[in-house]
Coordinates of all heavy atoms in Angstrom, one line a residue:
M100 N 0.8 -1.2 0.0 CA 0.0 0.0 0.0 C 0.9 1.2 0.0 O 1.8 1.3 0.8 CB -0.8 0.0 1.3 CG -2.2 -0.4 1.1 SD -3.1 -0.2 2.7 CE -3.4 -1.9 3.0
I101 N 0.5 2.2 -0.8 CA 1.2 3.4 -0.9 C 0.2 4.6 -0.6 O -0.8 4.6 -1.3 CB 1.9 3.6 -2.2 CG1 3.0 2.5 -2.4 CG2 2.6 5.0 -2.3 CD1 3.6 2.6 -3.8
Y102 N 0.6 5.4 0.3 CA -0.3 6.6 0.7 C 0.5 7.8 0.3 O 1.2 8.3 1.1 CB -0.7 6.5 2.1 CG -1.5 5.3 2.5 CD1 -0.9 4.2 3.1 CD2 -2.8 5.3 2.4 CE1 -1.6 3.1 3.4 CE2 -3.6 4.2 2.7 CZ -3.0 3.1 3.2 OH -3.7 2.0 3.6
H103 N 0.2 8.4 -0.8 CA 0.9 9.6 -1.3 C 0.5 10.8 -0.5 O 1.3 11.7 -0.4 CB 0.7 9.8 -2.8 CG 1.3 8.7 -3.6 ND1 2.6 8.5 -3.8 CD2 0.7 7.7 -4.3 CE1 2.8 7.4 -4.6 NE2 1.7 6.9 -4.9
D104 N -0.7 10.8 0.0 CA -1.2 12.0 0.6 C -0.9 12.2 2.1 O -1.2 13.2 2.7 CB -2.8 12.1 0.4 CG -3.1 12.3 -1.1 OD1 -2.3 12.7 -1.9 OD2 -4.3 11.9 -1.4
L105 N -0.3 11.1 2.6 CA -0.1 11.1 4.1 C 1.4 11.3 4.3 O 2.3 10.8 3.6 CB -0.5 9.9 4.7 CG -2.0 9.6 4.7 CD1 -2.3 8.2 5.3 CD2 -2.8 10.6 5.5
S106 N 1.8 12.1 5.3 CA 3.2 12.3 5.7 C 3.7 11.0 6.3 O 3.0 10.2 6.9 CB 3.3 13.4 6.6 OG 2.9 13.1 7.9
F107 N 5.0 10.9 6.3 CA 5.7 9.7 6.9 C 5.4 9.7 8.4 O 5.3 8.6 9.0 CB 7.2 9.8 6.6 CG 7.9 8.6 7.1 CD1 7.8 7.4 6.5 CD2 8.7 8.7 8.2 CE1 8.5 6.3 6.9 CE2 9.4 7.6 8.7 CZ 9.3 6.4 8.0
D108 N 5.4 10.9 9.0 CA 5.1 11.0 10.5 C 3.8 10.4 10.8 O 3.6 9.7 11.8 CB 5.2 12.4 10.9 CG 6.6 12.9 10.9 OD1 7.6 12.1 10.9 OD2 6.8 14.2 11.0
I109 N 2.8 10.7 10.0 CA 1.4 10.2 10.3 C 1.4 8.6 10.1 O 0.8 7.9 10.9 CB 0.4 10.8 9.3 CG1 0.2 12.3 9.7 CG2 -1.0 10.1 9.4 CD1 -0.6 13.1 8.7
L110 N 2.0 8.1 9.1 CA 2.1 6.7 8.8 C 2.8 6.0 10.0 O 2.4 4.9 10.4 CB 2.7 6.4 7.5 CG 1.9 6.7 6.3 CD1 2.6 6.5 5.0 CD2 0.6 5.8 6.3
T111 N 3.9 6.6 10.4 CA 4.7 6.0 11.5 C 3.9 6.0 12.8 O 3.9 4.9 13.5 CB 6.0 6.8 11.7 OG1 6.8 6.8 10.5 CG2 6.8 6.3 12.9
A112 N 3.2 7.0 13.1 CA 2.3 7.1 14.3 C 1.2 6.0 14.2 O 0.9 5.3 15.2 CB 1.8 8.5 14.5
A113 N 0.6 5.9 13.0 CA -0.6 5.1 12.9 C -0.2 3.6 12.8 O -0.8 2.7 13.4 CB -1.4 5.5 11.7
A114 N 0.8 3.3 12.0 CA 1.1 1.9 11.7 C 2.4 1.4 12.4 O 2.5 0.3 12.9 CB 1.3 1.6 10.2
G115 N 3.4 2.3 12.6 CA 4.6 1.9 13.1 C 4.6 1.6 14.6 O 5.3 0.7 15.1
C116 N 3.7 2.3 15.3 CA 3.6 2.0 16.8 C 2.6 0.9 17.1 O 2.7 0.3 18.2 CB 3.2 3.3 17.5 SG 4.4 4.6 17.3
S117 N 1.7 0.7 16.2 CA 0.6 -0.2 16.5 C 1.0 -1.6 16.9 O 0.3 -2.2 17.7 CB -0.4 -0.2 15.3 OG -1.0 1.1 15.2
P118 N 2.0 -2.2 16.2 CA 2.3 -3.6 16.6 C 2.7 -3.7 18.1 O 2.3 -4.7 18.8 CB 3.5 -3.9 15.8 CG 3.3 -3.1 14.5 CD 2.7 -1.8 15.0
A119 N 3.3 -2.7 18.7 CA 3.7 -2.8 20.1 C 2.4 -2.7 20.9 O 2.3 -3.4 21.9 CB 4.6 -1.6 20.5
Y120 N 1.4 -2.0 20.5 CA 0.1 -1.9 21.2 C -0.6 -3.3 21.2 O -1.1 -3.7 22.2 CB -0.8 -0.8 20.7 CG -0.2 0.6 20.6 CD1 -0.6 1.5 19.7 CD2 0.8 1.0 21.5 CE1 -0.1 2.8 19.7 CE2 1.3 2.2 21.5 CZ 0.8 3.1 20.6 OH 1.4 4.4 20.5
F121 N -0.6 -3.9 20.0 CA -1.2 -5.2 19.9 C -0.4 -6.2 20.7 O -1.0 -7.1 21.4 CB -1.3 -5.6 18.4 CG -2.4 -5.0 17.7 CD1 -2.2 -4.0 16.8 CD2 -3.7 -5.4 17.9 CE1 -3.2 -3.4 16.2 CE2 -4.8 -4.8 17.2 CZ -4.5 -3.8 16.3
F122 N 0.9 -6.2 20.7 CA 1.7 -7.1 21.5 C 1.5 -6.9 23.0 O 1.4 -7.9 23.8 CB 3.2 -7.1 21.1 CG 3.5 -7.5 19.7 CD1 4.4 -6.8 19.0 CD2 2.9 -8.7 19.2 CE1 4.7 -7.3 17.7 CE2 3.1 -9.1 17.9 CZ 4.0 -8.4 17.1
H123 N 1.3 -5.7 23.4 CA 1.0 -5.4 24.8 C -0.3 -6.0 25.2 O -0.5 -6.6 26.3 CB 1.0 -3.9 25.0 CG 0.8 -3.5 26.4 ND1 1.7 -3.6 27.4 CD2 -0.3 -2.9 27.0 CE1 1.3 -3.2 28.6 NE2 0.0 -2.7 28.3
T124 N -1.3 -5.8 24.3 CA -2.6 -6.4 24.6 C -2.5 -8.0 24.6 O -3.2 -8.6 25.4 CB -3.6 -6.0 23.5 OG1 -3.7 -4.5 23.5 CG2 -5.0 -6.6 23.7
A125 N -1.7 -8.5 23.7 CA -1.5 -10.0 23.6 C -0.9 -10.5 24.9 O -1.3 -11.5 25.4 CB -0.7 -10.3 22.4
D126 N 0.0 -9.7 25.4 CA 0.7 -10.1 26.7 C -0.3 -10.1 27.8 O -0.4 -11.0 28.7 CB 1.8 -9.2 27.0 CG 2.5 -9.5 28.3 OD1 3.0 -10.7 28.4 OD2 2.6 -8.7 29.2
A127 N -1.2 -9.1 27.9 CA -2.2 -9.0 28.9 C -3.2 -10.2 28.8 O -3.6 -10.7 29.8 CB -3.0 -7.6 28.8
F128 N -3.5 -10.5 27.6 CA -4.4 -11.7 27.3 C -3.8 -13.0 27.9 O -4.4 -13.7 28.6 CB -4.7 -11.8 25.8 CG -5.6 -13.0 25.5 CD1 -6.9 -12.8 25.4 CD2 -5.0 -14.2 25.2 CE1 -7.8 -13.9 25.1 CE2 -5.8 -15.3 24.8 CZ -7.2 -15.1 24.8
T129 N -2.5 -13.2 27.6 CA -1.8 -14.4 28.0 C -1.7 -14.4 29.5 O -1.8 -15.5 30.2 CB -0.5 -14.7 27.3 OG1 0.4 -13.5 27.5 CG2 -0.7 -14.9 25.8
E130 N -1.4 -13.2 30.1 CA -1.4 -13.1 31.6 C -2.7 -13.5 32.2 O -2.8 -14.1 33.3 CB -0.9 -11.8 32.0 CG 0.6 -11.5 31.7 CD 1.5 -12.4 32.5 OE1 1.3 -12.7 33.7 OE2 2.5 -12.9 31.9
A131 N -3.8 -13.0 31.6 CA -5.1 -13.3 32.1 C -5.4 -14.8 32.0 O -6.0 -15.4 32.9 CB -6.2 -12.5 31.3
C132 N -4.9 -15.4 30.9 CA -5.1 -16.9 30.8 C -4.3 -17.6 31.9 O -4.9 -18.5 32.5 CB -4.5 -17.4 29.4 SG -5.6 -17.0 28.0
L133 N -3.1 -17.1 32.2 CA -2.4 -17.7 33.3 C -3.1 -17.6 34.6 O -3.2 -18.6 35.4 CB -1.0 -17.0 33.5 CG 0.1 -17.5 32.5 CD1 1.3 -16.6 32.7 CD2 0.5 -18.9 32.8
A134 N -3.7 -16.5 34.9 CA -4.5 -16.2 36.1 C -5.7 -17.2 36.2 O -6.1 -17.5 37.3 CB -4.9 -14.8 36.2
L135 N -6.2 -17.6 35.1 CA -7.3 -18.5 35.0 C -6.9 -20.0 35.0 O -7.7 -20.9 34.9 CB -8.2 -18.2 33.8 CG -8.9 -16.8 33.8 CD1 -9.5 -16.6 32.4 CD2 -9.9 -16.8 34.9
G136 N -5.6 -20.2 35.1 CA -5.1 -21.6 35.1 C -4.7 -22.2 33.8 O -4.5 -23.4 33.7
I137 N -4.8 -21.3 32.7 CA -4.4 -21.8 31.4 C -2.9 -21.6 31.2 O -2.4 -20.5 31.3 CB -5.2 -21.0 30.3 CG1 -6.7 -21.3 30.5 CG2 -4.8 -21.5 28.9 CD1 -7.6 -20.3 29.7
P138 N -2.2 -22.6 30.9 CA -0.7 -22.5 30.6 C -0.4 -21.4 29.5 O -1.2 -21.3 28.6 CB -0.3 -23.9 30.2 CG -1.3 -24.8 30.7 CD -2.6 -24.0 30.7
R139 N 0.7 -20.8 29.7 CA 1.1 -19.7 28.7 C 1.0 -20.2 27.3 O 0.5 -19.5 26.4 CB 2.4 -19.1 29.1 CG 2.8 -18.0 28.2 CD 4.2 -17.4 28.5 NE 4.2 -16.8 29.9 CZ 3.7 -15.6 30.2 NH1 3.1 -14.9 29.3 NH2 3.8 -15.2 31.5
S140 N 1.6 -21.4 27.1 CA 1.7 -21.9 25.7 C 0.3 -22.1 25.1 O 0.0 -21.8 23.9 CB 2.5 -23.2 25.6 OG 1.8 -24.2 26.4
E141 N -0.7 -22.5 25.9 CA -2.0 -22.7 25.4 C -2.7 -21.3 25.3 O -3.5 -21.2 24.3 CB -2.8 -23.6 26.4 CG -2.4 -25.0 26.4 CD -3.1 -25.9 27.3 OE1 -4.3 -25.6 27.6 OE2 -2.6 -26.9 27.8
G142 N -2.4 -20.4 26.1 CA -3.0 -19.1 26.0 C -2.5 -18.4 24.7 O -3.3 -17.7 24.0
V143 N -1.2 -18.6 24.4 CA -0.7 -18.1 23.1 C -1.4 -18.7 21.9 O -1.7 -18.0 21.0 CB 0.9 -18.2 23.1 CG1 1.4 -17.9 21.7 CG2 1.5 -17.3 24.1
Q144 N -1.6 -20.0 22.0 CA -2.2 -20.7 20.9 C -3.7 -20.2 20.7 O -4.1 -19.9 19.6 CB -2.2 -22.2 21.1 CG -0.9 -22.8 20.9 CD -0.3 -22.6 19.5 OE1 -1.0 -22.8 18.5 NE2 0.9 -22.2 19.4
L145 N -4.4 -20.0 21.9 CA -5.7 -19.5 21.8 C -5.7 -18.1 21.2 O -6.6 -17.8 20.4 CB -6.3 -19.5 23.3 CG -7.7 -18.9 23.4 CD1 -8.7 -19.7 22.7 CD2 -8.0 -18.9 24.9
L146 N -4.8 -17.3 21.6 CA -4.7 -15.9 21.1 C -4.4 -15.9 19.6 O -5.0 -15.2 18.8 CB -3.6 -15.2 21.8 CG -3.3 -13.7 21.3 CD1 -4.5 -12.8 21.6 CD2 -2.1 -13.2 22.0
K147 N -3.5 -16.8 19.1 CA -3.2 -16.9 17.7 C -4.5 -17.2 16.9 O -4.7 -16.6 15.9 CB -2.1 -17.9 17.4 CG -0.7 -17.3 17.9 CD 0.3 -18.4 17.9 CE 0.5 -19.2 16.7 NZ 1.7 -20.1 16.8
H148 N -5.3 -18.2 17.4 CA -6.5 -18.6 16.7 C -7.5 -17.4 16.7 O -8.2 -17.1 15.7 CB -7.1 -19.8 17.3 CG -6.3 -21.0 17.0 ND1 -6.2 -21.6 15.7 CD2 -5.5 -21.8 17.8 CE1 -5.4 -22.7 15.7 NE2 -5.0 -22.8 17.0
L149 N -7.6 -16.8 17.8 CA -8.5 -15.6 18.0 C -8.1 -14.5 17.0 O -9.0 -14.0 16.2 CB -8.4 -15.1 19.4 CG -9.1 -13.8 19.7 CD1 -10.6 -13.9 19.6 CD2 -8.7 -13.2 21.0
L150 N -6.8 -14.2 16.9 CA -6.4 -13.1 16.0 C -6.6 -13.5 14.6 O -7.0 -12.6 13.7 CB -4.9 -12.7 16.3 CG -4.7 -12.0 17.6 CD1 -3.2 -11.8 17.9 CD2 -5.4 -10.7 17.7
K151 N -6.3 -14.7 14.2 CA -6.6 -15.1 12.8 C -8.0 -15.0 12.4 O -8.4 -14.6 11.4 CB -6.1 -16.6 12.6 CG -4.6 -16.7 12.6 CD -4.1 -18.2 12.4 CE -2.6 -18.3 12.5 NZ -2.2 -19.7 12.5
G152 N -8.9 -15.4 13.4 CA -10.3 -15.3 13.1 C -10.8 -13.9 13.0 O -11.6 -13.6 12.1
V153 N -10.3 -13.0 13.8 CA -10.6 -11.6 13.8 C -10.1 -11.0 12.4 O -10.8 -10.3 11.8 CB -10.0 -10.8 15.0 CG1 -10.1 -9.3 14.8 CG2 -10.7 -11.3 16.2
A154 N -8.9 -11.3 12.1 CA -8.3 -10.8 10.8 C -9.2 -11.3 9.6 O -9.5 -10.5 8.7 CB -6.9 -11.2 10.7
N155 N -9.5 -12.5 9.6 CA -10.4 -13.0 8.5 C -11.7 -12.4 8.5 O -12.3 -12.1 7.4 CB -10.5 -14.6 8.6 CG -9.2 -15.3 8.3 OD1 -8.4 -14.8 7.6 ND2 -9.1 -16.5 8.8
S156 N -12.3 -12.1 9.6 CA -13.6 -11.4 9.7 C -13.5 -10.0 9.1 O -14.5 -9.6 8.5 CB -14.1 -11.4 11.2 OG -14.3 -12.7 11.7
L157 N -12.4 -9.4 9.3 CA -12.3 -8.0 8.8 C -12.3 -8.0 7.3 O -12.5 -6.9 6.7 CB -11.0 -7.4 9.3 CG -11.1 -6.9 10.8 CD1 -9.7 -6.6 11.3 CD2 -12.1 -5.8 11.0
D158 N -12.1 -9.1 6.6 CA -12.3 -9.2 5.2 C -13.7 -9.1 4.8 O -14.0 -8.8 3.6 CB -11.6 -10.5 4.6 CG -10.1 -10.5 4.7 OD1 -9.5 -9.4 4.7 OD2 -9.6 -11.6 4.7
E159 N -14.6 -9.4 5.7 CA -16.0 -9.5 5.4 C -16.8 -8.2 5.8 O -17.9 -7.9 5.2 CB -16.7 -10.7 6.1 CG -16.0 -12.0 5.8 CD -16.0 -12.3 4.3 OE1 -17.0 -12.1 3.7 OE2 -15.0 -12.9 3.8
A160 N -16.4 -7.5 6.8 CA -17.1 -6.4 7.4 C -16.1 -5.5 8.1 O -15.0 -5.8 8.4 CB -18.2 -6.8 8.3
G161 N -16.6 -4.3 8.4 CA -15.8 -3.3 9.2 C -15.8 -3.6 10.7 O -16.6 -4.4 11.2
P162 N -14.8 -3.0 11.4 CA -14.7 -3.4 12.8 C -15.9 -3.0 13.7 O -16.3 -3.7 14.6 CB -13.5 -2.6 13.3 CG -13.2 -1.6 12.2 CD -13.8 -2.1 10.9
I163 N -16.6 -1.9 13.4 CA -17.7 -1.5 14.2 C -18.9 -2.5 14.0 O -19.5 -3.0 14.9 CB -18.2 -0.1 13.9 CG1 -17.1 0.9 14.3 CG2 -19.5 0.3 14.5 CD1 -17.3 2.3 13.9
E164 N -19.1 -2.9 12.7 CA -20.2 -3.8 12.4 C -19.9 -5.2 13.1 O -20.7 -5.8 13.7 CB -20.3 -4.0 10.9 CG -21.4 -5.0 10.5 CD -21.5 -5.2 9.0 OE1 -20.9 -4.4 8.3 OE2 -22.1 -6.2 8.7
L165 N -18.6 -5.6 13.0 CA -18.2 -6.9 13.6 C -18.4 -6.8 15.1 O -18.9 -7.8 15.8 CB -16.8 -7.3 13.2 CG -16.7 -7.6 11.7 CD1 -15.2 -7.7 11.3 CD2 -17.3 -8.9 11.4
R166 N -17.9 -5.7 15.7 CA -18.1 -5.6 17.2 C -19.5 -5.7 17.6 O -19.9 -6.4 18.5 CB -17.5 -4.3 17.6 CG -17.6 -4.1 19.2 CD -17.4 -2.6 19.6 NE -18.4 -1.8 19.0 CZ -18.3 -0.5 18.7 NH1 -17.1 0.1 19.0 NH2 -19.2 0.2 18.2
N167 N -20.4 -5.0 16.9 CA -21.8 -5.0 17.2 C -22.4 -6.4 17.0 O -23.4 -6.7 17.8 CB -22.5 -4.0 16.4 CG -22.2 -2.5 16.8 OD1 -21.7 -2.3 17.9 ND2 -22.4 -1.6 15.9
Q168 N -21.9 -7.2 16.1 CA -22.4 -8.5 15.9 C -22.1 -9.4 17.1 O -22.9 -10.4 17.3 CB -21.8 -9.1 14.6 CG -22.3 -8.6 13.3 CD -21.6 -9.1 12.1 OE1 -20.9 -10.1 12.2 NE2 -21.9 -8.5 11.0
V169 N -21.0 -9.2 17.8 CA -20.6 -10.1 18.9 C -21.1 -9.6 20.2 O -20.9 -10.3 21.2 CB -19.1 -10.4 18.9 CG1 -18.7 -11.1 17.6 CG2 -18.3 -9.2 19.1
L170 N -21.7 -8.4 20.3 CA -22.1 -7.9 21.6 C -23.5 -8.4 21.9 O -24.4 -8.5 21.1 CB -22.2 -6.4 21.5 CG -20.9 -5.6 21.5 CD1 -21.2 -4.1 21.4 CD2 -20.1 -5.9 22.7
T171 N -23.7 -8.8 23.2 CA -25.0 -9.2 23.7 C -25.4 -8.2 24.8 O -24.6 -8.1 25.7 CB -25.0 -10.7 24.3 OG1 -24.5 -11.5 23.3 CG2 -26.3 -11.1 24.7
P172 N -26.4 -7.5 24.6 CA -26.8 -6.5 25.6 C -26.9 -7.0 27.0 O -27.5 -8.1 27.2 CB -28.2 -6.0 25.1 CG -28.2 -6.2 23.6 CD -27.4 -7.5 23.4
G173 N -26.3 -6.3 27.9 CA -26.4 -6.7 29.3 C -25.4 -7.9 29.7 O -25.5 -8.4 30.8
R174 N -24.5 -8.2 28.8 CA -23.6 -9.3 29.1 C -22.2 -8.8 29.3 O -21.9 -7.7 29.2 CB -23.7 -10.4 28.0 CG -25.1 -11.0 27.7 CD -25.7 -11.6 28.9 NE -24.9 -12.7 29.4 CZ -25.3 -14.0 29.4 NH1 -26.4 -14.3 28.8 NH2 -24.5 -14.9 29.8
A175 N -21.3 -9.8 29.5 CA -19.9 -9.5 29.9 C -19.1 -8.6 28.9 O -18.4 -7.7 29.2 CB -19.1 -10.7 30.2
T176 N -19.3 -9.0 27.6 CA -18.5 -8.3 26.6 C -18.9 -6.8 26.5 O -18.0 -5.9 26.5 CB -18.8 -8.9 25.2 OG1 -18.5 -10.3 25.2 CG2 -17.9 -8.2 24.1
L177 N -20.2 -6.5 26.6 CA -20.6 -5.1 26.6 C -20.1 -4.4 27.9 O -19.6 -3.2 27.8 CB -22.1 -5.0 26.5 CG -22.7 -3.6 26.4 CD1 -22.1 -2.8 25.2 CD2 -24.2 -3.6 26.3
A178 N -20.2 -5.1 29.0 CA -19.7 -4.5 30.3 C -18.2 -4.2 30.2 O -17.8 -3.1 30.6 CB -20.0 -5.4 31.4
G179 N -17.5 -5.1 29.6 CA -16.0 -4.9 29.4 C -15.7 -3.7 28.5 O -14.8 -2.9 28.8
L180 N -16.4 -3.6 27.4 CA -16.2 -2.5 26.5 C -16.6 -1.1 27.2 O -15.9 -0.1 27.0 CB -17.0 -2.7 25.2 CG -16.5 -3.7 24.3 CD1 -17.4 -3.8 23.1 CD2 -15.1 -3.3 23.8
K181 N -17.6 -1.1 27.9 CA -18.0 0.1 28.7 C -16.9 0.5 29.6 O -16.6 1.7 29.8 CB -19.3 -0.1 29.4 CG -20.5 -0.1 28.5 CD -21.8 -0.3 29.3 CE -23.0 -0.2 28.4 NZ -24.3 -0.4 29.1
E182 N -16.3 -0.5 30.3 CA -15.1 -0.2 31.2 C -13.9 0.4 30.4 O -13.3 1.3 30.8 CB -14.7 -1.4 31.9 CG -13.8 -1.2 33.0 CD -14.3 -0.3 34.1 OE1 -15.5 -0.3 34.4 OE2 -13.5 0.5 34.7
F183 N -13.7 -0.2 29.2 CA -12.6 0.4 28.4 C -12.9 1.8 28.0 O -12.0 2.7 28.0 CB -12.4 -0.5 27.1 CG -11.6 -1.7 27.2 CD1 -12.1 -2.9 26.7 CD2 -10.4 -1.7 27.8 CE1 -11.3 -4.0 26.8 CE2 -9.6 -2.8 27.9 CZ -10.1 -4.0 27.4
H184 N -14.1 2.1 27.6 CA -14.5 3.5 27.2 C -14.4 4.4 28.4 O -13.9 5.5 28.3 CB -15.9 3.5 26.6 CG -16.0 3.0 25.3 ND1 -15.4 3.6 24.2 CD2 -16.5 1.8 24.7 CE1 -15.6 2.9 23.1 NE2 -16.3 1.8 23.4
K185 N -14.8 3.9 29.6 CA -14.7 4.8 30.8 C -13.2 5.1 31.1 O -12.9 6.2 31.4 CB -15.3 4.0 32.0 CG -15.8 4.9 33.0 CD -16.6 4.2 34.1 CE -16.4 2.7 34.4 NZ -17.1 2.2 35.6
Q186 N -12.3 4.1 30.9 CA -10.9 4.4 31.2 C -10.3 5.1 30.0 O -9.2 5.7 30.2 CB -10.2 3.0 31.3 CG -10.7 2.2 32.5 CD -10.4 2.8 33.8 OE1 -9.4 3.5 34.0 NE2 -11.4 2.7 34.8
G187 N -10.8 5.0 28.8 CA -10.3 5.6 27.6 C -9.0 4.9 27.1 O -8.4 5.4 26.2
S188 N -8.7 3.8 27.6 CA -7.4 3.2 27.3 C -7.2 2.8 25.8 O -6.2 3.0 25.3 CB -7.2 1.9 28.2 OG -8.3 1.0 28.0
L189 N -8.2 2.2 25.2 CA -8.0 1.7 23.8 C -7.9 2.8 22.9 O -7.0 2.8 22.0 CB -9.1 0.7 23.4 CG -9.1 -0.6 24.1 CD1 -10.3 -1.4 23.6 CD2 -7.9 -1.4 23.8
Y190 N -8.8 3.8 22.9 CA -8.8 4.9 22.0 C -7.6 5.8 22.2 O -7.1 6.4 21.2 CB -10.1 5.7 22.0 CG -11.3 4.9 21.5 CD1 -12.2 4.2 22.3 CD2 -11.4 4.7 20.1 CE1 -13.2 3.5 21.8 CE2 -12.4 3.9 19.6 CZ -13.3 3.3 20.4 OH -14.4 2.6 19.9
D191 N -7.2 5.9 23.4 CA -6.0 6.8 23.7 C -4.8 6.3 23.0 O -3.9 7.1 22.7 CB -5.8 7.0 25.2 CG -6.9 7.8 25.9 OD1 -7.6 8.5 25.1 OD2 -7.0 7.8 27.1
L192 N -4.7 5.0 22.8 CA -3.5 4.5 22.2 C -3.2 5.1 20.8 O -2.1 5.3 20.4 CB -3.6 2.9 22.0 CG -3.4 2.1 23.3 CD1 -3.6 0.7 23.0 CD2 -2.0 2.3 23.9
W193 N -4.3 5.3 20.0 CA -4.2 5.7 18.7 C -4.5 7.2 18.4 O -4.6 7.7 17.3 CB -5.0 4.9 17.7 CG -4.4 3.5 17.5 CD1 -3.4 3.3 16.5 CD2 -4.6 2.3 18.1 NE1 -3.0 2.0 16.6 CE2 -3.7 1.4 17.6 CE3 -5.4 1.9 19.2 CZ2 -3.7 0.0 18.0 CZ3 -5.4 0.6 19.6 CH2 -4.5 -0.3 19.0
H194 N -4.8 7.9 19.5 CA -5.1 9.3 19.4 C -4.1 10.2 20.0 O -3.4 9.9 20.9 CB -6.5 9.6 20.0 CG -7.6 9.1 19.1 ND1 -8.2 7.9 19.5 CD2 -8.1 9.5 18.0 CE1 -9.2 7.6 18.6 NE2 -9.1 8.6 17.7

């Protein structure tokens, strides 16, 4: 992909830093697995399958549509997302 209209600084900020954010999230996921009694190696395998599924899903629809498809009102996923929004943690990474 070539973006002629964007500066190198913008591309670096948007794409260059993002892998570290995803890896940080991946580490938190594997640590959560450990806390639940799932061995690290199995947590990593679970994460890899999860990320592959998410990446494949993005070929079919946009992230907001996909997020809304997996949310069940009044359940844990929605409660977790509300907590993320309250903390501002996810959006603050890219803004």
